[in-house]
Amino acid sequence: MATDADAQPRDGTLAVSAPLEVDAVDGGWDEECDVLVTGFGAAGAASAISAHDAGARVLICERFEGGGATTISGGVVYLGGGTRHQRDSGFDDTPEAMRAYLATEVGDAVSPATLQRFCDDSRGMLDWLESLGVPFAGESDPPKTSYPRDGVYLYYSGNEKVPEVAAIAPPAPRGHRTAVPGMSGYGLFAALREAVAARGIAVSAQTAVRRLVRERATGAILGAEVARLPPGSRAARRHARLARWAGRLHNVAGGLADRLRARACAIEREHARTVRVRARNGVVLTTGGFVFNRAMVAEHAPAYGANLRLGATGCDGSGIRLGMSAGGDTARLHKASAWRFINPPSPWPKGLIVDTQGRRFCNEEVYGARLGVIMCEQHDGRAWLILDRELRRQATREALFGKLRAFQSVPSLIMMLFAPRARSITALARKLRLPAANVEGAVAAMNDAIAQQRPDPLGKSESTRHALTEGPFYAIDISATSPVFPLPTITLGGLRVDEQTGAVLDADDAPIPGLYAAGRAAVGLASNGYVSGLSLADCLWSGRRAGAAMAGGVQAAPRDAVPAPGGHADDVATA
């Protein structure tokens, strides 16, 4: 893995160097702060606000203009345990039910104690976000969907209603979408940015952290060397334009977007000035994941290499690599989330999915990230969704008149219009060059279970069961390589951290003095699997944790220690 700052990346990946070793704490610094935050998305903003509110002097260094993957996200935060919006919408939820469900998704990515603390703190985090000006709202009839239409801001954003999961924990809608129109991430980050500005927290834009500064004798991180473009300069303006255009073009012209990123990176190398920043309480790495670093993806998560990279240019693993350069240990770098959402249109999950062997391999109603991961890791990223005439008719009507978003309706209409079709399942299988006997058997098993009133072989709920009996039949290509229906992917692994403080750990489980990580640069709640809103919730929660620890000098605690649950406004209101 390259760490040479003079390397010439072809796609705009930031090159970082090994730490600068110094002998004295008080020599050669250009600027000073208490807490240095590297990256200004949700995790960076939460770290900065938390540290500032605890009395620290904070500096945020952001390679671009701020927002990162947060600002282009859906703005969904996974919150529960009985939030006021859940209660006002008529839904009972408890931290225990939330924990029981999330345990099925989180697995062993974090300790049970940390998961419980996250759930206990969830209502308090909603209060905190709303105090910063982030708007949320309830919904009396929350849907289960990939992303709700405008006006719907509370929904089932995971697998809560899938029968096998609902048997473990009572379903509750926990996807709290920021209550602004469109893709709501911009509204979430706008409120966080405003909260940062209102506190007078310094933000140095177009400033990339290239290496850490470490005290030779102790190994403590004292600060960082950053590369800053001159504010307001021609080079800075050109750099900003290139970065903006790369973001706009990424989904439709990825190669061109990469070339624009490389040009922006060249501007950084040519015009940025090196500044050495002393961070008295430490540096927190909040630069996101590494899906935009092709070399890291190829090394750690090759099953996802052909997928659409979802995120921002800064999601290139620079924070992870900085942490590694200082001795930080990593985990779960092979974990990623691939989003194959087939709802909406809502009739699609009533169909049947088969792989290249013609075998059904997944309950079609599961959350799209679970389907995508199974497809990529176990079935070479290839699969087809089989519909009959009635399901295609219903889905077409919903795509045309159901007020879906363009990214939901347009691909589905195109794929249904041009999907291979045949009068029989056998003929369709042959047209797809799949083993006809296997496809016939999968359809027959599903149909027979319905006819005989037996449970679905893969656990479908009654509301999504439909017998495929009347042709013509259609095959929708939902493979990762589909040009019409790309498979968005994010990475989930990162630096291992102390779960009480966010301090980066070395291979011996010892915290590295002065170095912290949060969000997707760190292992956290979303590092095993993904449901909508869990990554943003983890970014905000882990950012608050790191910021408070850095400002307060909190010492690392044993992994399984459970601190007292945080208070929140609901406790006061119901006391």
Side-chain angles (χ1 to χ4, degrees):
M1 194 178 301
T3 57
D4 180 5
D6 295 323
Q8 301 291 319
R10 293 180 297 171
D11 59 358
T13 298
L14 179 68
V16 302
S17 293
L20 173 66
E21 305 279 358
V22 298
D23 292 315
V25 172
D26 57 351
W29 303 105
D30 299 303
E31 298 177 5
E32 293 192 1
C33 62
D34 294 326
V35 172
L36 175 60
V37 179
T38 67
F40 189 22
S47 298
I49 293 169
S50 184
H52 172 276
D53 289 357
R57 181 183 171 206
V58 180
L59 170 64
I60 301 173
C61 286
E62 160 61 41
R63 186 184 175 194
F64 299 103
E65 294 179 290
T70 300
T71 197
I72 59 173
S73 74
V76 180
V77 185
Y78 199 90
L79 299 164
T83 70
R84 69 183 183 88
H85 299 297
Q86 288 178 313
R87 295 198 315 272
D88 291 348
S89 300
F91 295 95
D92 293 325
D93 193 17
T94 65
E96 290 70 31
M98 182 182 180
R99 180 206 55 75
Y101 166 66
L102 282 180
T104 69
E105 306 286 359
V106 173
D108 62 352
V110 299
S111 69
T114 295
L115 177 58
Q116 185 65 61
R117 183 159 58 96
F118 170 76
C119 296
D120 289 340
D121 289 347
S122 187
R123 289 184 293 166
M125 189 156 74
L126 174 67
D127 295 340
W128 179 75
L129 287 168
E130 291 189 320
S131 76
L132 300 180
V134 182
F136 295 102
E139 170 61 40
S140 60
D141 187 22
K144 182 184 185 302
T145 179
S146 62
Y147 194 72
R149 60 179 173 80
D150 283 350
V152 176
Y153 299 108
L154 179 67
Y155 71 113
Y156 293 93
S157 64
N159 290 299
E160 297 90 353
K161 299 183 77 173
V162 174
E164 64 182 281
V165 178
I168 297 171
R174 301 189 184 100
H176 287 65
R177 174 186 163 204
T178 306
V180 297
M183 295 298 288
S184 299
Y186 73 92
L188 171 61
F189 184 71
L192 294 173
R193 186 196 288 275
E194 186 173 333
V196 166
R199 286 161 170 77
I201 298 172
V203 179
S204 181
Q206 297 178 294
T207 303
V209 178
R210 289 192 174 273
R211 66 173 170 177
L212 300 170
V213 179
R214 178 168 61 190
E215 186 172 25
R216 195 186 315 275
T218 65
I221 300 303
L222 305 178
E225 278 193 354
V226 305
R228 178 183 295 156
L229 289 173
S233 65
R234 185 171 180 268
R237 293 193 299 272
R238 187 160 175 260
H239 179 270
R241 284 196 300 271
L242 289 168
R244 289 182 205 130
W245 275 107
R248 292 167 185 162
L249 293 172
H250 172 69
N251 288 348
V252 295
L256 174 57
D258 280 346
R259 290 193 290 275
L260 297 179
R261 293 184 182 103
R263 288 167 61 186
C265 194
I267 291 174
E268 294 171 0
R269 290 193 301 271
E270 183 177 354
H271 297 284
R273 169 178 168 257
T274 299
V275 179
R276 190 181 298 179
V277 180
R278 169 75 170 112
R280 287 179 288 268
N281 291 32
V283 176
V284 57
L285 306 170
T286 57
T287 54
F290 61 89
V291 74
F292 275 76
N293 188 317
R294 294 187 187 277
M296 288 184 72
V297 171
E299 179 180 355
H300 300 290
Y304 302 91
N307 299 6
L308 176 68
R309 296 164 293 165
L310 181 64
T313 301
C315 300
D316 65 356
S318 61
I320 297 172
R321 290 178 286 128
L322 283 166
M324 293 172 66
S325 76
D329 193 28
T330 59
R332 300 179 177 267
L333 295 182
H334 65 290
K335 288 286 189 177
S337 180
W339 301 353
R340 178 50 78 229
F341 291 111
I342 60 169
N343 177 16
S346 59
W348 275 19
K350 298 180 180 181
L352 177 142
I353 294 174
V354 296
D355 62 9
T356 56
Q357 299 304 308
R359 294 189 174 94
R360 186 182 179 205
F361 63 88
C362 189
N363 177 349
E364 293 79 8
E365 70 177 321
V366 299
Y367 180 70
R370 182 174 293 185
L371 170 59
V373 167
I374 293 172
M375 188 173 72
C376 287
E377 294 191 354
Q378 301 176 23
H379 301 275
D380 298 322
R382 300 183 65 195
W384 290 265
L385 170 66
I386 297 176
L387 305 175
D388 63 8
R389 179 176 64 180
E390 177 60 19
L391 290 181
R392 180 178 181 268
R393 184 191 68 80
Q394 294 175 10
T396 300
R397 182 175 179 81
E398 183 175 322
L400 287 171
F401 307 112
K403 297 182 180 180
L404 305 183
R405 298 183 180 277
F407 75 84
Q408 296 168 328
S409 62
V410 174
S412 61
L413 283 170
I414 293 173
M415 288 189 292
M416 287 188 290
L417 180 63
F418 294 103
R421 58 178 284 178
R423 292 190 177 276
S424 69
I425 292 295
T426 302
L428 184 65
R430 289 172 178 165
K431 186 172 286 190
L432 298 174
R433 299 183 178 180
L434 300 179
N438 290 346
V439 179
E440 292 168 356
V443 173
M446 186 178 76
N447 288 350
D448 289 348
I450 294 173
Q452 298 171 23
Q453 297 184 336
R454 291 186 283 106
D456 179 75
L458 293 184
K460 251 185 188 180
S461 63
E462 287 299 318
S463 63
T464 56
R465 300 181 74 181
H466 173 88
L468 299 174
T469 57
E470 187 175 352
F473 300 96
Y474 301 82
I476 309 297
D477 186 356
I478 61 171
S479 302
T481 54
S482 169
V484 179
F485 198 28
L487 186 57
T489 296
I490 64 172
T491 59
L492 302 178
L495 295 161
R496 293 177 55 240
V497 296
D498 178 273
E499 294 183 10
Q500 298 296 325
T501 65
V504 175
L505 301 176
D506 64 17
D508 296 321
D509 288 340
I512 297 173
L515 188 61
Y516 298 77
R520 295 285 61 79
V523 172
L525 290 146
S527 293
N528 182 62
Y530 180 88
V531 296
S532 289
L534 187 59
S535 183
L536 276 176
D538 185 37
C539 287
L540 293 161
W541 191 72
S542 63
R544 295 181 72 195
R545 174 182 65 189
M550 296 172 78
V554 176
Q555 297 298 309
R559 178 178 169 86
D560 288 324
V562 185
H568 42 71
D570 288 342
D571 287 338
V572 176
T574 59

